[in-house]
Amino acid sequence: AKMGAALIDLARSKSVSVRAGAKIVPMESAELLLAKIDTDPTITWVAENVGLTETTPILGQVRLQARTARAYIPISAELAADSANAIEALEMAASSALGLALDKAVLFGGTDGNANEPIGLRRLDNVNEITSVGSPGGYEKFADGVYQCLLNNAPKPLIIIAHPRTYNSLDKLEDTTGQPQQPLPSYVEAKKFDTTSISVVEGGGGNESFAIAGPMEQVIIGIRLNATIIEGPLEASKYQ
């Protein structure tokens, strides 16, 4: 149990989503209801002693539903007994894999139609999208993404999360004189994070990617249980 709790802590530290501001909320059961703001309240200026006028309800519900992730890591009894760092190495490998899996779930989500996987920001309804970007030729599309966030009153500084390949392409941009292209102020102001959990096999050609811009502190990740590590001579097919 102690190792399981430590594994979760390590995974959190390796998760780009958490480092970018996403909040961890404990879940006591398989479902958790949270309040969300559907509409902003209407403020009116009135004369003295004038009664209140009822406005549209501003609060709705968000339902967090637990999903299960697991891995089977075989290791020989001899290696576990004779290697001084076997358990530490396994813990580091598992925490890195769990951190990447958490980021993929938060940012990209699972396969369409697979109810066992989270949806992810990429696949959520009512999320603004800027499409037909093509190969990055400048920072204009990032400026457009930041602008869409600000139209919805997103607080600054915003977060941009992309695959390392995207940032590599941006680093190589040049102006007409062959000098490095200067990024736009809205891009400079945003905090940037990179993760390989963002897909680079999108689109018809199977070589496209995406980036996410927004206030990551408004993202909530529910965790029901600490990681459970079962040690013993088990076959993967017999573990449920």
Side-chain angles (χ1 to χ4, degrees):
K2 289 183 179 180
M3 184 183 293
L7 187 62
I8 287 292
D9 289 338
L10 284 172
R12 289 174 182 169
S13 69
K14 296 177 183 295
S15 166
V16 167
S17 301
V18 175
R19 288 192 282 114
K23 295 179 175 62
I24 300 292
V25 175
M27 298 177 63
E28 300 298 331
S29 62
E31 289 189 352
L32 176 64
L33 295 180
L34 298 173
K36 69 170 182 175
I37 299 176
D38 281 337
T39 58
D40 292 328
T42 301
I43 307 298
T44 57
W45 298 90
V46 299
E48 188 176 354
N49 295 325
V50 172
L52 295 174
T53 301
E54 184 176 344
T55 60
T56 304
I58 65 171
L59 295 181
Q61 284 186 343
V62 173
R63 183 187 303 273
L64 300 186
Q65 189 168 359
R67 295 288 185 264
T68 300
R70 62 189 181 186
Y72 177 71
I73 307 175
I75 180 174
S76 69
E78 292 79 8
L79 180 60
D82 297 337
S83 177
N85 67 332
I87 299 302
E88 179 183 358
L90 284 175
E91 186 173 304
M92 292 299 296
S95 63
S96 295
L98 185 56
L100 282 173
L102 183 60
D103 281 335
K104 181 179 182 296
V106 172
L107 302 173
F108 185 72
T111 307
D112 285 335
N114 189 341
N116 295 322
E117 298 180 273
I119 297 175
L121 294 174
R122 175 74 168 80
R123 301 175 185 274
L124 278 178
D125 295 330
N126 302 320
V127 172
N128 292 317
E129 286 187 292
I130 297 174
T131 58
S132 302
V133 175
S135 298
Y139 297 86
E140 292 80 5
K141 297 298 183 179
F142 285 98
D144 292 341
V146 169
Y147 174 64
Q148 290 296 326
C149 293
L150 297 179
L151 284 180
N152 288 278
N153 300 317
K156 289 184 176 182
L158 295 175
I159 301 296
I160 293 177
I161 303 177
H163 191 278
R165 189 187 73 177
T166 299
Y167 292 120
N168 183 51
S169 298
L170 293 172
D171 285 344
K172 295 177 180 178
L173 294 177
E174 297 179 349
D175 61 20
T176 55
T177 66
Q179 297 299 310
Q181 187 177 134
Q182 294 299 310
L184 298 175
S186 58
Y187 177 85
V188 173
E189 187 180 51
K191 294 183 178 181
K192 270 78 70 179
F193 294 85
D194 63 87
T195 174
T196 55
S197 63
I198 284 186
S199 173
V200 291
V201 292
E202 300 277 289
N207 62 349
E208 298 176 11
S209 186
F210 66 95
I212 289 178
M216 286 298 292
E217 71 269 17
Q218 295 184 8
V219 174
I220 296 175
I221 303 171
I223 293 184
R224 185 182 180 193
L225 298 172
N226 278 328
T228 301
I229 299 179
I230 298 178
E231 303 175 41
L234 297 176
E235 296 180 22
S237 61
K238 295 182 180 179
Y239 176 68
Q240 299 295 327

